[in-house]
Amino acid sequence: MQMKEKLSPFQASILIYLIQSGVTLFSLPRLVAEAFGTNGWIGLIIISIIVNMNLFLIWVVYKLSKGKSMLEIISIFPKWITLPIFLFIAGVWLLLGVLVMVKFCMILRVLFFGNVSLIYLLSMAYLLTYMLLKMDLYQIAKSTVVLFYFTIWTVFLLAFHLPEFSFIRLTPFIFKGETDMLKGGVNIFTALLGYELSILFIHMIERKQLKSLIAGNTITSIIYLGVTFVSYGFFSFEQLLREMYPVVTLLGYISFPVLERVENFTFSVFGLKVLMTTVMYLWGTKELLQYQFKKIKSTFLLIGILIISFFVSFIPKVIKDVEQWLTYITYACTVIAFLLPIFLLITVLFTKKLNRMPANE
């Protein structure tokens, strides 16, 4: 079904931001310290620029194809060629969407709700996912704007740590220590994944497509940079390396007269961002499978995806298993994020050349 209404630039930017904002944020300062060493927050700027370059490539594909969607570009190939490619991408996106939610629910249960069953938490998550995925992308995007205003206030909690912030803890050294820039840099890059889904809906943005996508990534990058910078100035470098979830520890230092466990409440609110990440990855999965299996009704396909997702959720038993799975899946997703636009660009250029051939003859 074609979408009647297009996304505004603001809606597109917020959608990108909420897809990117994942549970990795809570361990991001430690990951940055492990990857880049002292003053590693500077490395986040480099990673963000790489993401913007990838978004520029997606926009180039969109412009050269004269506004065609990814599925229209790919339609020159027979279904038997696109089937294995789309099944692989759909499988990776489904697993990533599922594992992000599973990891969040496991952390939520371990840190705050030890007596609550994981089945209960995941059942609620998939029920909300189903309710959102029943809508078209325009309706989902409108929901994300509401969620944005409901969650963005959590960023300002960083101001409570400024009295304890010390520039001395930053040290004058840049990228010093036992660093692993290549592998660590890839791990940091995966924290910004989600933007690649824009390749499916860039044609649905009414104007300023490139600016909208870059603005969304910029919002995420600024928040990540702010959280990491404050963590570097709040903890010593050695403390930062020891903290499993530095951001949760940061939140633990905040207290209000009417709310004792701020980290409990904030972490729960953050679940709405994780929900949107899961929703959009499963939306991307549904779009690819719907293209390949047009005879299956959209509702049946959606229910099938959610049933598979629900059962896959219980294969990894502990957080360590989930993180191991996520490592491999995010690597696969990173490869897709870079190679898919390149493949589409080659397809567009090849199609243009074919269309010009009769005229040359």
Side-chain angles (χ1 to χ4, degrees), residues 97-246:
V98 167
L99 292 173
V100 164
M101 181 57 72
V102 172
K103 183 178 178 180
F104 175 81
C105 289
M106 281 186 172
I107 295 174
L108 188 66
R109 185 168 176 266
V110 168
L111 295 180
F112 309 116
F113 302 111
N115 296 324
V116 179
S117 170
L118 185 63
I119 295 177
Y120 177 72
L121 293 173
L122 287 172
S123 296
M124 286 198 305
Y126 284 118
L127 179 61
L128 291 171
T129 300
Y130 174 72
M131 292 170 66
L132 284 166
L133 284 175
K134 282 201 307 181
M135 302 184 289
D136 62 30
L137 187 63
Y138 179 75
Q139 297 298 324
I140 293 174
K142 287 204 298 185
S143 302
T144 62
V145 174
V146 176
L147 293 179
F148 171 76
Y149 287 122
F150 190 71
T151 59
I152 192 62
W153 62 269
T154 58
V155 176
F156 299 103
L157 292 175
L158 292 174
F160 285 90
H161 301 95
L162 293 181
E164 301 297 327
F165 184 92
S166 173
F167 282 98
I168 296 174
R169 295 192 186 104
L170 294 177
T171 77
F173 306 105
I174 297 177
F175 300 162
K176 298 295 183 181
E178 295 182 8
T179 60
D180 187 358
M181 291 195 180
L182 182 59
K183 184 179 178 182
V186 172
N187 289 334
I188 303 305
F189 181 88
T190 61
L192 287 168
L193 281 175
Y195 71 89
E196 74 279 6
L197 289 173
S198 63
I199 204 164
L200 284 174
F201 62 79
I202 186 171
H203 66 286
M204 300 177 182
I205 305 171
E206 61 182 2
R207 64 184 187 278
K208 299 179 180 178
Q209 291 82 6
L210 181 59
K211 289 182 180 178
S212 303
L213 300 181
I214 289 180
N217 178 57
T218 302
I219 295 171
T220 309
S221 300
I222 289 173
I223 292 172
Y224 280 6
L225 189 63
V227 169
T228 306
F229 181 75
V230 169
S231 296
Y232 265 85
F234 186 85
F235 300 102
S236 69
F237 183 68
E238 290 72 22
Q239 281 180 306
L240 201 55
L241 291 173
R242 290 196 302 267
E243 289 285 342
M244 182 63 71
Y245 302 111

Side-chain angles (χ1 to χ4, degrees), residues 244-263:
M244 182 63 71
Y245 302 111
V247 178
V248 175
T249 305
L250 277 179
L251 294 173
Y253 281 90
I254 302 172
S255 62
F256 294 108
V258 295
L259 187 62
E260 287 188 16
R261 299 294 299 275
V262 174
E263 73 274 24

Side-chain angles (χ1 to χ4, degrees), residues 197-332:
L197 289 173
S198 63
I199 204 164
L200 284 174
F201 62 79
I202 186 171
H203 66 286
M204 300 177 182
I205 305 171
E206 61 182 2
R207 64 184 187 278
K208 299 179 180 178
Q209 291 82 6
L210 181 59
K211 289 182 180 178
S212 303
L213 300 181
I214 289 180
N217 178 57
T218 302
I219 295 171
T220 309
S221 300
I222 289 173
I223 292 172
Y224 280 6
L225 189 63
V227 169
T228 306
F229 181 75
V230 169
S231 296
Y232 265 85
F234 186 85
F235 300 102
S236 69
F237 183 68
E238 290 72 22
Q239 281 180 306
L240 201 55
L241 291 173
R242 290 196 302 267
E243 289 285 342
M244 182 63 71
Y245 302 111
V247 178
V248 175
T249 305
L250 277 179
L251 294 173
Y253 281 90
I254 302 172
S255 62
F256 294 108
V258 295
L259 187 62
E260 287 188 16
R261 299 294 299 275
V262 174
E263 73 274 24
N264 189 329
F265 178 72
T266 306
F267 198 89
S268 301
V269 169
F270 192 84
L272 296 173
K273 295 183 180 181
V274 177
L275 175 68
M276 286 312 306
T277 301
T278 299
V279 165
M280 287 307 299
Y281 270 111
L282 294 187
W283 174 83
T285 300
K286 182 171 75 73
E287 290 294 302
L288 295 185
L289 295 180
Q290 192 73 72
Y291 174 80
Q292 290 293 152
F293 308 106
K294 288 187 171 66
K295 293 183 180 179
I296 302 177
K297 288 187 177 180
S298 180
T299 305
F300 294 153
L301 190 61
L302 173 57
I303 292 172
I305 289 171
L306 289 175
I307 289 173
I308 294 171
S309 301
F310 186 77
F311 284 107
V312 168
S313 301
F314 295 98
I315 296 177
K317 303 298 182 184
V318 293
I319 292 179
K320 187 177 180 181
D321 292 341
V322 175
E323 289 178 342
Q324 192 67 49
W325 279 42
L326 269 173
T327 299
Y328 297 125
I329 295 300
T330 51
Y331 287 169

